[in-house]
Structures are given as C-alpha cells and as structure tokens.
Amino acid sequence: MKTISNQTCKEIKDILQTFSQLRESDALAQATTASTRFVDAQRRAGRLVKKLAAAVDKVDARTCTGSQKAAILQMLKEGERITPDDALQLCGCRRLSARIWELVHIDGHDIRRELGRTPEGNQCARYYMTIEQQ
C-alpha cells in the first residue's frame, strides 16, 4: 500500500511549525527570508506538497469511483496487496472479504489471498492479483 510515511508526516509537521513561527512576526519573517533555514523549509515544503498532491489524487480517484468494489478492484489492478485495514482507511469498506467474494464469484476476477501477521501479532488476510491477472 502506498501511503505517506511517518517520516513524511514528521517533515510536514516540522515545516508547518517553521512556517507558523515565521508568520508570528512580520519582522522575523522579513529578517529570515534570505536565511538558509527559510529557503530550506520552502524547498522541503515544495517537495512535500507534490507528494501530498499525488497521494490525495490517488485516494480521490479511488473514493470517487462510486463503489467500494470498484475502488478495491482498482487497488488490486495497481498491484497492491490489500488488508481489511487498508480497505477501511481508503474506501470505508468494513467487510473486505465480502467485497472480494463478490469480485471473485460474481464478477469472475482471480484474486488470491495470503495470510500474514500484523506488527501486533494478529493474523490477517492480504488480497492481491498477480501481474498476469491484471
């Protein structure tokens, strides 16, 4: 699953904190405009905005499809392995196994399942399509 990493979230928070500190005082902002810190923050913000925009576009494309089943199928066709947590976060699907059953038995897609463990040690299913199936 392609998501924004914890490191990226931390960078975003750092940049937002830097900008809010600079915005607190016009004099401070004018004095530090040419500083390396401010320029570096601007560059990092630009890169992060591009990453965020790409992530938002991808999520919007999935959630605007009109159905959970279509969003799940799109993720599978992109080569992602989907867990129930992923389905809940990305398209609000609380019953991934039911949507997978519909995709397999009603729509005829060949979707595979592997069982794995979460970092907490719980067992969970991960669904995928092989490259030939996409």
Side-chain angles (χ1 to χ4, degrees), residues 48-79:
L48 291 172
V49 165
K50 287 178 186 176
K51 283 183 185 179
L52 284 172
V56 167
D57 288 345
K58 191 169 189 175
V59 170
D60 285 347
R62 290 179 183 159
T63 57
C64 293
T65 56
S67 75
Q68 293 173 346
K69 204 164 72 168
I72 291 165
L73 182 60
Q74 179 64 33
M75 286 186 275
L76 291 168
K77 285 184 175 182
E78 289 174 2

PDB file of all heavy atoms in Angstrom, residues 48-79:
ATOM      1  N   LEU A  48       7.187  18.217  -0.412  1.00  0.00           N
ATOM      2  CA  LEU A  48       6.125  17.553   0.331  1.00  0.00           C
ATOM      3  C   LEU A  48       4.749  17.853  -0.240  1.00  0.00           C
ATOM      4  O   LEU A  48       3.881  16.989  -0.265  1.00  0.00           O
ATOM      5  CB  LEU A  48       6.186  17.947   1.807  1.00  0.00           C
ATOM      6  CG  LEU A  48       7.393  17.385   2.549  1.00  0.00           C
ATOM      7  CD1 LEU A  48       7.475  17.978   3.939  1.00  0.00           C
ATOM      8  CD2 LEU A  48       7.331  15.882   2.623  1.00  0.00           C
ATOM      9  N   VAL A  49       4.552  19.068  -0.724  1.00  0.00           N
ATOM     10  CA  VAL A  49       3.271  19.414  -1.340  1.00  0.00           C
ATOM     11  C   VAL A  49       3.036  18.545  -2.570  1.00  0.00           C
ATOM     12  O   VAL A  49       1.929  18.058  -2.805  1.00  0.00           O
ATOM     13  CB  VAL A  49       3.214  20.915  -1.690  1.00  0.00           C
ATOM     14  CG1 VAL A  49       2.067  21.218  -2.636  1.00  0.00           C
ATOM     15  CG2 VAL A  49       3.089  21.741  -0.421  1.00  0.00           C
ATOM     16  N   LYS A  50       4.084  18.305  -3.352  1.00  0.00           N
ATOM     17  CA  LYS A  50       3.947  17.433  -4.526  1.00  0.00           C
ATOM     18  C   LYS A  50       3.589  16.010  -4.109  1.00  0.00           C
ATOM     19  O   LYS A  50       2.729  15.369  -4.706  1.00  0.00           O
ATOM     20  CB  LYS A  50       5.241  17.435  -5.340  1.00  0.00           C
ATOM     21  CG  LYS A  50       5.465  18.720  -6.092  1.00  0.00           C
ATOM     22  CD  LYS A  50       6.771  18.692  -6.848  1.00  0.00           C
ATOM     23  CE  LYS A  50       7.029  20.050  -7.484  1.00  0.00           C
ATOM     24  NZ  LYS A  50       8.335  20.101  -8.147  1.00  0.00           N
ATOM     25  N   LYS A  51       4.247  15.492  -3.042  1.00  0.00           N
ATOM     26  CA  LYS A  51       3.928  14.142  -2.552  1.00  0.00           C
ATOM     27  C   LYS A  51       2.490  14.073  -2.054  1.00  0.00           C
ATOM     28  O   LYS A  51       1.766  13.126  -2.340  1.00  0.00           O
ATOM     29  CB  LYS A  51       4.861  13.760  -1.403  1.00  0.00           C
ATOM     30  CG  LYS A  51       6.244  13.359  -1.797  1.00  0.00           C
ATOM     31  CD  LYS A  51       7.010  12.940  -0.542  1.00  0.00           C
ATOM     32  CE  LYS A  51       8.447  12.623  -0.819  1.00  0.00           C
ATOM     33  NZ  LYS A  51       9.175  12.256   0.404  1.00  0.00           N
ATOM     34  N   LEU A  52       2.096  15.092  -1.297  1.00  0.00           N
ATOM     35  CA  LEU A  52       0.726  15.116  -0.772  1.00  0.00           C
ATOM     36  C   LEU A  52      -0.297  15.184  -1.891  1.00  0.00           C
ATOM     37  O   LEU A  52      -1.315  14.506  -1.853  1.00  0.00           O
ATOM     38  CB  LEU A  52       0.540  16.306   0.170  1.00  0.00           C
ATOM     39  CG  LEU A  52       1.157  16.171   1.553  1.00  0.00           C
ATOM     40  CD1 LEU A  52       1.072  17.493   2.299  1.00  0.00           C
ATOM     41  CD2 LEU A  52       0.453  15.092   2.335  1.00  0.00           C
ATOM     42  N   ALA A  53      -0.028  16.025  -2.889  1.00  0.00           N
ATOM     43  CA  ALA A  53      -0.966  16.163  -4.003  1.00  0.00           C
ATOM     44  C   ALA A  53      -1.134  14.836  -4.733  1.00  0.00           C
ATOM     45  O   ALA A  53      -2.247  14.436  -5.075  1.00  0.00           O
ATOM     46  CB  ALA A  53      -0.486  17.244  -4.964  1.00  0.00           C
ATOM     47  N   ALA A  54      -0.027  14.137  -4.947  1.00  0.00           N
ATOM     48  CA  ALA A  54      -0.105  12.835  -5.621  1.00  0.00           C
ATOM     49  C   ALA A  54      -0.896  11.837  -4.786  1.00  0.00           C
ATOM     50  O   ALA A  54      -1.730  11.085  -5.310  1.00  0.00           O
ATOM     51  CB  ALA A  54       1.300  12.309  -5.896  1.00  0.00           C
ATOM     52  N   ALA A  55      -0.662  11.824  -3.472  1.00  0.00           N
ATOM     53  CA  ALA A  55      -1.382  10.900  -2.593  1.00  0.00           C
ATOM     54  C   ALA A  55      -2.866  11.234  -2.549  1.00  0.00           C
ATOM     55  O   ALA A  55      -3.720  10.346  -2.605  1.00  0.00           O
ATOM     56  CB  ALA A  55      -0.788  10.942  -1.189  1.00  0.00           C
ATOM     57  N   VAL A  56      -3.197  12.515  -2.474  1.00  0.00           N
ATOM     58  CA  VAL A  56      -4.600  12.934  -2.428  1.00  0.00           C
ATOM     59  C   VAL A  56      -5.295  12.595  -3.736  1.00  0.00           C
ATOM     60  O   VAL A  56      -6.415  12.090  -3.742  1.00  0.00           O
ATOM     61  CB  VAL A  56      -4.706  14.451  -2.121  1.00  0.00           C
ATOM     62  CG1 VAL A  56      -6.110  14.958  -2.372  1.00  0.00           C
ATOM     63  CG2 VAL A  56      -4.314  14.706  -0.682  1.00  0.00           C
ATOM     64  N   ASP A  57      -4.626  12.837  -4.869  1.00  0.00           N
ATOM     65  CA  ASP A  57      -5.217  12.496  -6.167  1.00  0.00           C
ATOM     66  C   ASP A  57      -5.509  11.012  -6.260  1.00  0.00           C
ATOM     67  O   ASP A  57      -6.548  10.599  -6.746  1.00  0.00           O
ATOM     68  CB  ASP A  57      -4.292  12.911  -7.314  1.00  0.00           C
ATOM     69  CG  ASP A  57      -4.242  14.412  -7.503  1.00  0.00           C
ATOM     70  OD1 ASP A  57      -5.122  15.112  -6.956  1.00  0.00           O
ATOM     71  OD2 ASP A  57      -3.331  14.887  -8.200  1.00  0.00           O
ATOM     72  N   LYS A  58      -4.580  10.192  -5.761  1.00  0.00           N
ATOM     73  CA  LYS A  58      -4.756   8.744  -5.822  1.00  0.00           C
ATOM     74  C   LYS A  58      -5.932   8.309  -4.955  1.00  0.00           C
ATOM     75  O   LYS A  58      -6.766   7.514  -5.371  1.00  0.00           O
ATOM     76  CB  LYS A  58      -3.476   8.056  -5.371  1.00  0.00           C
ATOM     77  CG  LYS A  58      -3.451   6.593  -5.647  1.00  0.00           C
ATOM     78  CD  LYS A  58      -2.071   6.052  -5.410  1.00  0.00           C
ATOM     79  CE  LYS A  58      -1.996   4.631  -5.907  1.00  0.00           C
ATOM     80  NZ  LYS A  58      -0.676   4.076  -5.812  1.00  0.00           N
ATOM     81  N   VAL A  59      -6.012   8.840  -3.737  1.00  0.00           N
ATOM     82  CA  VAL A  59      -7.118   8.488  -2.842  1.00  0.00           C
ATOM     83  C   VAL A  59      -8.432   8.996  -3.422  1.00  0.00           C
ATOM     84  O   VAL A  59      -9.433   8.286  -3.420  1.00  0.00           O
ATOM     85  CB  VAL A  59      -6.878   9.055  -1.426  1.00  0.00           C
ATOM     86  CG1 VAL A  59      -8.120   8.905  -0.571  1.00  0.00           C
ATOM     87  CG2 VAL A  59      -5.704   8.329  -0.784  1.00  0.00           C
ATOM     88  N   ASP A  60      -8.454  10.227  -3.955  1.00  0.00           N
ATOM     89  CA  ASP A  60      -9.670  10.765  -4.555  1.00  0.00           C
ATOM     90  C   ASP A  60     -10.140   9.907  -5.718  1.00  0.00           C
ATOM     91  O   ASP A  60     -11.319   9.642  -5.878  1.00  0.00           O
ATOM     92  CB  ASP A  60      -9.454  12.199  -5.040  1.00  0.00           C
ATOM     93  CG  ASP A  60      -9.427  13.192  -3.893  1.00  0.00           C
ATOM     94  OD1 ASP A  60      -9.812  12.808  -2.764  1.00  0.00           O
ATOM     95  OD2 ASP A  60      -9.025  14.339  -4.129  1.00  0.00           O
ATOM     96  N   ALA A  61      -9.194   9.447  -6.532  1.00  0.00           N
ATOM     97  CA  ALA A  61      -9.564   8.615  -7.677  1.00  0.00           C
ATOM     98  C   ALA A  61     -10.226   7.331  -7.210  1.00  0.00           C
ATOM     99  O   ALA A  61     -11.163   6.844  -7.822  1.00  0.00           O
ATOM    100  CB  ALA A  61      -8.330   8.301  -8.517  1.00  0.00           C
ATOM    101  N   ARG A  62      -9.761   6.793  -6.093  1.00  0.00           N
ATOM    102  CA  ARG A  62     -10.338   5.555  -5.583  1.00  0.00           C
ATOM    103  C   ARG A  62     -11.692   5.784  -4.940  1.00  0.00           C
ATOM    104  O   ARG A  62     -12.611   5.010  -5.120  1.00  0.00           O
ATOM    105  CB  ARG A  62      -9.399   4.935  -4.559  1.00  0.00           C
ATOM    106  CG  ARG A  62      -8.156   4.394  -5.163  1.00  0.00           C
ATOM    107  CD  ARG A  62      -7.296   3.832  -4.088  1.00  0.00           C
ATOM    108  NE  ARG A  62      -6.060   3.361  -4.671  1.00  0.00           N
ATOM    109  CZ  ARG A  62      -4.961   3.190  -3.988  1.00  0.00           C
ATOM    110  NH1 ARG A  62      -4.941   3.434  -2.712  1.00  0.00           N
ATOM    111  NH2 ARG A  62      -3.876   2.766  -4.578  1.00  0.00           N
ATOM    112  N   THR A  63     -11.814   6.841  -4.157  1.00  0.00           N
ATOM    113  CA  THR A  63     -13.047   7.033  -3.415  1.00  0.00           C
ATOM    114  C   THR A  63     -14.144   7.655  -4.262  1.00  0.00           C
ATOM    115  O   THR A  63     -15.297   7.586  -3.892  1.00  0.00           O
ATOM    116  CB  THR A  63     -12.799   7.911  -2.173  1.00  0.00           C
ATOM    117  OG1 THR A  63     -12.231   9.146  -2.592  1.00  0.00           O
ATOM    118  CG2 THR A  63     -11.874   7.228  -1.203  1.00  0.00           C
ATOM    119  N   CYS A  64     -13.807   8.235  -5.390  1.00  0.00           N
ATOM    120  CA  CYS A  64     -14.810   8.859  -6.247  1.00  0.00           C
ATOM    121  C   CYS A  64     -15.348   7.885  -7.290  1.00  0.00           C
ATOM    122  O   CYS A  64     -16.063   8.286  -8.196  1.00  0.00           O
ATOM    123  CB  CYS A  64     -14.230  10.084  -6.946  1.00  0.00           C
ATOM    124  SG  CYS A  64     -13.856  11.415  -5.805  1.00  0.00           S
ATOM    125  N   THR A  65     -14.989   6.616  -7.195  1.00  0.00           N
ATOM    126  CA  THR A  65     -15.423   5.657  -8.198  1.00  0.00           C
ATOM    127  C   THR A  65     -16.892   5.294  -8.042  1.00  0.00           C
ATOM    128  O   THR A  65     -17.481   4.745  -8.950  1.00  0.00           O
ATOM    129  CB  THR A  65     -14.590   4.364  -8.112  1.00  0.00           C
ATOM    130  OG1 THR A  65     -14.694   3.871  -6.792  1.00  0.00           O
ATOM    131  CG2 THR A  65     -13.157   4.626  -8.482  1.00  0.00           C
ATOM    132  N   GLY A  66     -17.477   5.573  -6.901  1.00  0.00           N
ATOM    133  CA  GLY A  66     -18.888   5.310  -6.731  1.00  0.00           C
ATOM    134  C   GLY A  66     -19.190   4.035  -5.965  1.00  0.00           C
ATOM    135  O   GLY A  66     -20.294   3.853  -5.496  1.00  0.00           O
ATOM    136  N   SER A  67     -18.225   3.144  -5.854  1.00  0.00           N
ATOM    137  CA  SER A  67     -18.493   1.929  -5.087  1.00  0.00           C
ATOM    138  C   SER A  67     -17.218   1.407  -4.455  1.00  0.00           C
ATOM    139  O   SER A  67     -16.125   1.607  -4.972  1.00  0.00           O
ATOM    140  CB  SER A  67     -19.107   0.849  -5.976  1.00  0.00           C
ATOM    141  OG  SER A  67     -18.132   0.271  -6.806  1.00  0.00           O
ATOM    142  N   GLN A  68     -17.390   0.743  -3.353  1.00  0.00           N
ATOM    143  CA  GLN A  68     -16.247   0.139  -2.670  1.00  0.00           C
ATOM    144  C   GLN A  68     -15.615  -0.932  -3.548  1.00  0.00           C
ATOM    145  O   GLN A  68     -14.390  -1.041  -3.633  1.00  0.00           O
ATOM    146  CB  GLN A  68     -16.703  -0.484  -1.353  1.00  0.00           C
ATOM    147  CG  GLN A  68     -17.174   0.508  -0.339  1.00  0.00           C
ATOM    148  CD  GLN A  68     -17.765  -0.154   0.891  1.00  0.00           C
ATOM    149  OE1 GLN A  68     -18.062  -1.351   0.884  1.00  0.00           O
ATOM    150  NE2 GLN A  68     -17.935   0.619   1.946  1.00  0.00           N
ATOM    151  N   LYS A  69     -16.451  -1.690  -4.215  1.00  0.00           N
ATOM    152  CA  LYS A  69     -15.959  -2.789  -5.042  1.00  0.00           C
ATOM    153  C   LYS A  69     -15.053  -2.268  -6.158  1.00  0.00           C
ATOM    154  O   LYS A  69     -13.978  -2.815  -6.403  1.00  0.00           O
ATOM    155  CB  LYS A  69     -17.156  -3.538  -5.624  1.00  0.00           C
ATOM    156  CG  LYS A  69     -16.869  -4.953  -6.001  1.00  0.00           C
ATOM    157  CD  LYS A  69     -18.136  -5.745  -6.208  1.00  0.00           C
ATOM    158  CE  LYS A  69     -18.841  -5.339  -7.464  1.00  0.00           C
ATOM    159  NZ  LYS A  69     -19.910  -6.265  -7.847  1.00  0.00           N
ATOM    160  N   ALA A  70     -15.454  -1.178  -6.789  1.00  0.00           N
ATOM    161  CA  ALA A  70     -14.651  -0.594  -7.865  1.00  0.00           C
ATOM    162  C   ALA A  70     -13.329  -0.054  -7.322  1.00  0.00           C
ATOM    163  O   ALA A  70     -12.282  -0.195  -7.951  1.00  0.00           O
ATOM    164  CB  ALA A  70     -15.425   0.508  -8.565  1.00  0.00           C
ATOM    165  N   ALA A  71     -13.363   0.565  -6.149  1.00  0.00           N
ATOM    166  CA  ALA A  71     -12.140   1.107  -5.550  1.00  0.00           C
ATOM    167  C   ALA A  71     -11.179  -0.021  -5.187  1.00  0.00           C
ATOM    168  O   ALA A  71      -9.972   0.078  -5.432  1.00  0.00           O
ATOM    169  CB  ALA A  71     -12.489   1.927  -4.317  1.00  0.00           C
ATOM    170  N   ILE A  72     -11.700  -1.105  -4.638  1.00  0.00           N
ATOM    171  CA  ILE A  72     -10.870  -2.246  -4.265  1.00  0.00           C
ATOM    172  C   ILE A  72     -10.271  -2.893  -5.508  1.00  0.00           C
ATOM    173  O   ILE A  72      -9.080  -3.204  -5.551  1.00  0.00           O
ATOM    174  CB  ILE A  72     -11.688  -3.257  -3.435  1.00  0.00           C
ATOM    175  CG1 ILE A  72     -12.011  -2.648  -2.070  1.00  0.00           C
ATOM    176  CG2 ILE A  72     -10.957  -4.588  -3.295  1.00  0.00           C
ATOM    177  CD1 ILE A  72     -13.089  -3.375  -1.300  1.00  0.00           C
ATOM    178  N   LEU A  73     -11.082  -3.071  -6.536  1.00  0.00           N
ATOM    179  CA  LEU A  73     -10.584  -3.652  -7.783  1.00  0.00           C
ATOM    180  C   LEU A  73      -9.485  -2.780  -8.381  1.00  0.00           C
ATOM    181  O   LEU A  73      -8.470  -3.291  -8.864  1.00  0.00           O
ATOM    182  CB  LEU A  73     -11.734  -3.842  -8.784  1.00  0.00           C
ATOM    183  CG  LEU A  73     -11.358  -4.489 -10.107  1.00  0.00           C
ATOM    184  CD1 LEU A  73     -10.770  -5.881  -9.880  1.00  0.00           C
ATOM    185  CD2 LEU A  73     -12.568  -4.552 -11.018  1.00  0.00           C
ATOM    186  N   GLN A  74      -9.648  -1.482  -8.338  1.00  0.00           N
ATOM    187  CA  GLN A  74      -8.629  -0.565  -8.867  1.00  0.00           C
ATOM    188  C   GLN A  74      -7.303  -0.735  -8.111  1.00  0.00           C
ATOM    189  O   GLN A  74      -6.240  -0.798  -8.721  1.00  0.00           O
ATOM    190  CB  GLN A  74      -9.113   0.885  -8.771  1.00  0.00           C
ATOM    191  CG  GLN A  74      -8.113   1.904  -9.274  1.00  0.00           C
ATOM    192  CD  GLN A  74      -7.836   1.756 -10.744  1.00  0.00           C
ATOM    193  OE1 GLN A  74      -8.712   1.381 -11.516  1.00  0.00           O
ATOM    194  NE2 GLN A  74      -6.609   2.023 -11.158  1.00  0.00           N
ATOM    195  N   MET A  75      -7.372  -0.831  -6.790  1.00  0.00           N
ATOM    196  CA  MET A  75      -6.150  -1.023  -5.997  1.00  0.00           C
ATOM    197  C   MET A  75      -5.477  -2.347  -6.350  1.00  0.00           C
ATOM    198  O   MET A  75      -4.256  -2.414  -6.489  1.00  0.00           O
ATOM    199  CB  MET A  75      -6.472  -0.981  -4.505  1.00  0.00           C
ATOM    200  CG  MET A  75      -6.755   0.405  -3.995  1.00  0.00           C
ATOM    201  SD  MET A  75      -6.947   0.450  -2.198  1.00  0.00           S
ATOM    202  CE  MET A  75      -8.657   0.011  -2.020  1.00  0.00           C
ATOM    203  N   LEU A  76      -6.276  -3.394  -6.497  1.00  0.00           N
ATOM    204  CA  LEU A  76      -5.719  -4.699  -6.848  1.00  0.00           C
ATOM    205  C   LEU A  76      -5.066  -4.664  -8.225  1.00  0.00           C
ATOM    206  O   LEU A  76      -3.994  -5.229  -8.432  1.00  0.00           O
ATOM    207  CB  LEU A  76      -6.806  -5.770  -6.800  1.00  0.00           C
ATOM    208  CG  LEU A  76      -7.333  -6.115  -5.408  1.00  0.00           C
ATOM    209  CD1 LEU A  76      -8.586  -6.968  -5.510  1.00  0.00           C
ATOM    210  CD2 LEU A  76      -6.265  -6.804  -4.585  1.00  0.00           C
ATOM    211  N   LYS A  77      -5.698  -3.985  -9.175  1.00  0.00           N
ATOM    212  CA  LYS A  77      -5.138  -3.878 -10.524  1.00  0.00           C
ATOM    213  C   LYS A  77      -3.853  -3.067 -10.555  1.00  0.00           C
ATOM    214  O   LYS A  77      -3.030  -3.245 -11.435  1.00  0.00           O
ATOM    215  CB  LYS A  77      -6.162  -3.269 -11.475  1.00  0.00           C
ATOM    216  CG  LYS A  77      -7.253  -4.243 -11.854  1.00  0.00           C
ATOM    217  CD  LYS A  77      -8.189  -3.654 -12.873  1.00  0.00           C
ATOM    218  CE  LYS A  77      -9.197  -4.689 -13.335  1.00  0.00           C
ATOM    219  NZ  LYS A  77     -10.090  -4.156 -14.372  1.00  0.00           N
ATOM    220  N   GLU A  78      -3.680  -2.184  -9.581  1.00  0.00           N
ATOM    221  CA  GLU A  78      -2.441  -1.404  -9.481  1.00  0.00           C
ATOM    222  C   GLU A  78      -1.324  -2.225  -8.850  1.00  0.00           C
ATOM    223  O   GLU A  78      -0.215  -1.744  -8.681  1.00  0.00           O
ATOM    224  CB  GLU A  78      -2.676  -0.137  -8.652  1.00  0.00           C
ATOM    225  CG  GLU A  78      -3.527   0.887  -9.350  1.00  0.00           C
ATOM    226  CD  GLU A  78      -3.881   2.074  -8.470  1.00  0.00           C
ATOM    227  OE1 GLU A  78      -3.428   2.119  -7.292  1.00  0.00           O
ATOM    228  OE2 GLU A  78      -4.590   2.955  -8.952  1.00  0.00           O
ATOM    229  N   GLY A  79      -1.630  -3.469  -8.492  1.00  0.00           N
ATOM    230  CA  GLY A  79      -0.610  -4.356  -7.945  1.00  0.00           C
ATOM    231  C   GLY A  79      -0.450  -4.281  -6.444  1.00  0.00           C
ATOM    232  O   GLY A  79       0.509  -4.823  -5.894  1.00  0.00           O
TER     233      GLY A  79
END
